[in-house]
Amino acid sequence: MPDADIVIVGAGAAGLSLAHRLCDPSHPGRRPSVILVDAPRGPLRPPRRTWCYWEGADGEYDSVLAASWPSLRVRGRDGTATVGHPAPLRYKMLRSDAFERLVGERLAGPGGCHRVEAVVESVHDVPGGAEVSGRDTAGRRTVLRARWAFDSRPPARLPPARTTLLQHFRGWFVRTSHPAFDPSVADLMDFRTTQPAHGLSFGYVLPLSPHEALVEYTEFSREVLDSAGYDRALRHYTRDVLGLGEPRITACEQGVIPMTDARFPRRAGRSVFRVGVAGGATRPATGYTFAAVQRQTRALAADLLAGRPPRPPPPHRARSRAMDAVLLRALDSGRIDGAEFFTGLFRDVPTQRLLRFLDGRSRMAEDLLIGLRTPVMPMLRTVAELPRLRRRPAAR
């Protein structure tokens, strides 16, 4: 007999979101039994991290947000600012520990939801369902069986792609002795950073109060920096660009997000599915993931709670993925200047329309209008080139 109806592997954004929806106590019918498998504390468990997304004012996670902003700003290399007001949308910041507490409270309530710690070694089909095997915190072999398994662990290796860039960053949570930030405005891209020889870089500032903010240095490039490189870039940005002097650093976060036109299969067997980053939820041209994870897990939970076989939807439309493939190739080939490209988009396209486009919810007519605001000839040359390019395995 199976241990549960559903096993979810991984307690990141996708695993937590799916568990949160499946264990909803307000659901009127029978809820499936769920086991959420998290890595033991240590190097396999991701550190505290931040997820950002945009949506209307009344979101389902608003009670645990760290902050939200009604206005967005982009600064060009010369410092010229473009400020957008995408009402009714707001840009929202959610810390992973707050989200984990929210989901943990629901899983601890009455019902068939449980959480276990184990290092998962394999997830595969077995007769009648799926099997998840690994080792518990004491090193003992653990085997869990379920009708359905959802694996949200990032892939060990990216699928073959024509273009792969990395969005890599380090961020400092800083506190200043003087008011230095406007809590009503989030800086999405500030290109007054030193631009790398290949790719682009920008600053990213999310104010939490007049004295506190998350300040990040981000690059889109092929290779990550060493630790000293991130610190040099952040010191330059905080001291020389933002004029913060020597702020007190209260916390640090760092990450690498693949930006790739690889195809991520959402199904790994008859009863095994991939969700989140592993299921292609990351938007290739921007690195945003959280909103697509919510769409993906909402659809899966609707199927499972209704007693239907799960049908994971594509996290992004084919048209959006095709446009992202063109942009990635144009950036990687150097045909377009990344800083000028993004500065121009935010300057020339209404903010709400641009956010719909970045979230894959724009209409075709809107996509065409946005396309006309880009460097048309370099983009057309890239469109013509892409069909001739081979998809190559990712470097190890």
Side-chain angles (χ1 to χ4, degrees), residues 228-302:
Y230 290 114
D231 283 345
R232 279 195 302 271
L234 272 168
R235 280 195 296 269
H236 166 72
Y237 184 58
T238 56
R239 182 185 59 215
D240 302 331
V241 177
L242 298 181
L244 301 182
E246 298 293 335
R248 183 160 66 92
I249 301 169
T250 60
C252 180
E253 68 174 32
Q254 184 167 331
V256 180
I257 302 170
M259 303 173 67
T260 173
D261 65 354
R263 299 177 180 130
F264 289 81
R266 301 185 301 281
R267 193 157 199 161
R270 294 185 308 276
S271 298
V272 179
F273 300 86
R274 296 190 177 99
V275 294
V277 173
T282 300
R283 181 73 193 263
T286 65
Y288 282 102
T289 305
F290 193 80
V293 161
Q294 300 314 304
R295 292 194 295 269
Q296 194 177 57
T297 57
R298 189 178 295 116
L300 287 169

Side-chain angles (χ1 to χ4, degrees), residues 63-130:
S63 64
V64 291
L65 291 178
S68 70
W69 301 270
S71 301
L72 303 174
R73 182 166 54 204
V74 171
R75 291 188 184 272
R77 278 190 289 231
D78 62 357
T80 301
T82 299
V83 181
H85 309 281
L89 302 178
R90 294 179 69 92
Y91 193 64
K92 301 183 177 184
M93 174 184 179
L94 178 61
R95 301 300 308 277
S96 61
D97 55 348
F99 190 46
E100 287 174 12
R101 285 194 297 271
L102 177 73
V103 178
E105 290 171 4
R106 178 166 286 187
L107 268 62
C113 299
H114 304 280
R115 190 168 184 171
V116 301
E117 291 187 356
V119 177
V120 172
E121 297 170 343
S122 68
V123 184
H124 56 270
D125 282 328
V126 294

